[in-house]
Amino acid sequence: VYVKSKEILLDKLHGNSNPSCCSLSNDDTILATGGADRNVSFVQWGAALGGKDVMQQVKQIDCGAPVIAVDFARKPRSPFCATGCMDGTVHVILVETHSGLEVREVAPGTIKHSKYVRTVAWSCDDNLLATSSADGSVQVHKVVWNGLDDNIRLEKVETLNLNSIV
């Protein structure tokens, strides 16, 4: 997908709220944005450049609190995105594009901090997700998935408790 226009407007993607964070998928085909409206929004980037009504194609997940961090998994062909929220929750979302854009949360409620999540970050060569919080903790989880069904687990690998905000 190559840019055909210098500017694409995703007007009112988060209603009257501003986007607070964004991330592009590994192959640069999906844009994820988080906002104060409590939603993480996904749009196929090629659709934005193809002259179609992009806003009709946006998929959203309500995270229950303002979304302030978002990141796609970096492992090739890994269909996961993670969000961090003001209420300390982390949401892992399965993003599929086999027959159009489909998104759904997996393993809800598994990762929780006592204060807001400052960052979410995926490892480069494995499905490890690190999250940091204003509570001074860093949690590392492994996403265990066979690639065939919705049987997805998040296994805690490590929790680091630091003496200050991360």
Side-chain angles (χ1 to χ4, degrees), residues 90-109:
V90 174
H91 303 266
V92 177
I93 299 158
L94 181 64
V95 181
E96 296 181 311
T97 57
H98 302 312
S99 56
L101 181 61
E102 295 298 325
V103 295
R104 63 186 171 281
E105 186 173 1
V106 294

Side-chain angles (χ1 to χ4, degrees), residues 1-10 45 48-51:
V1 177
Y2 296 98
V3 175
K4 297 176 185 169
S5 172
K6 292 182 181 181
E7 180 179 286
I8 301 295
L9 296 177
L10 299 173
W45 193 234
L49 302 174

